[in-house]
Amino acid sequence: MHQIDPDMKACMDACHECHVTCLHMAMNHCLEMGGQHAAPEHLKIMLDCAQICAVAIDFMARKSTHHQHICRECAEICRACAASCEGLDGMEECVAACRRCADACDRMAA
């Protein structure tokens, strides 16, 4: 049986956590809070973040030769999402998940 590289597995796990956290927070917490939480640009970056994390997982699972630049893009979007979430009430979990994912993707992209 083929084993997944431990560093890649750690990155996939961080991407999965970020994907679920961003999607859940956007569709529940942010919509319920309204105001800046539900601003179109904020929701868009959260959904972009969730989607790129899912894409990065797929590319790593396939051991695609393109996974490095997908991970680089994922890290950039995760940082933008964390910046958008910072300062909004109750978004600490999302900020932390995005930063962990960005750091893991940076390592995978290197």
Side-chain angles (χ1 to χ4, degrees), residues 2-24:
H2 292 281
Q3 296 293 323
I4 297 175
D5 174 76
D7 292 334
M8 188 174 284
K9 175 75 168 92
C11 187
M12 291 170 74
D13 289 346
C15 285
H16 177 74
E17 178 190 6
C18 190
H19 169 78
V20 171
T21 301
C22 286
L23 199 54
H24 175 76

Side-chain angles (χ1 to χ4, degrees), residues 2-104:
H2 292 281
Q3 296 293 323
I4 297 175
D5 174 76
D7 292 334
M8 188 174 284
K9 175 75 168 92
C11 187
M12 291 170 74
D13 289 346
C15 285
H16 177 74
E17 178 190 6
C18 190
H19 169 78
V20 171
T21 301
C22 286
L23 199 54
H24 175 76
M25 294 293 289
M27 296 294 99
N28 294 283
H29 177 74
C30 289
L31 289 178
E32 290 169 10
M33 291 293 291
Q36 288 297 84
H37 283 80
E41 290 308 308
H42 177 67
L43 287 177
K44 285 178 185 179
I45 191 63
M46 289 188 75
L47 296 177
D48 285 352
C49 188
Q51 187 64 54
I52 195 68
C53 288
V55 170
I57 292 167
D58 288 352
F59 273 64
M60 286 183 279
R62 293 193 308 265
K63 292 188 177 182
S64 170
T65 57
H66 299 283
H67 82 272
Q68 287 177 303
H69 63 265
I70 295 297
C71 286
R72 199 170 300 115
E73 188 67 23
C74 187
E76 181 180 323
I77 292 171
C78 285
R79 283 195 184 84
C81 188
S84 183
C85 291
E86 277 183 327
L88 295 177
D89 291 339
M91 298 299 292
E92 298 81 11
E93 182 182 351
C94 195
V95 172
C98 288
R99 287 186 178 148
R100 281 190 296 272
C101 187
D103 290 345

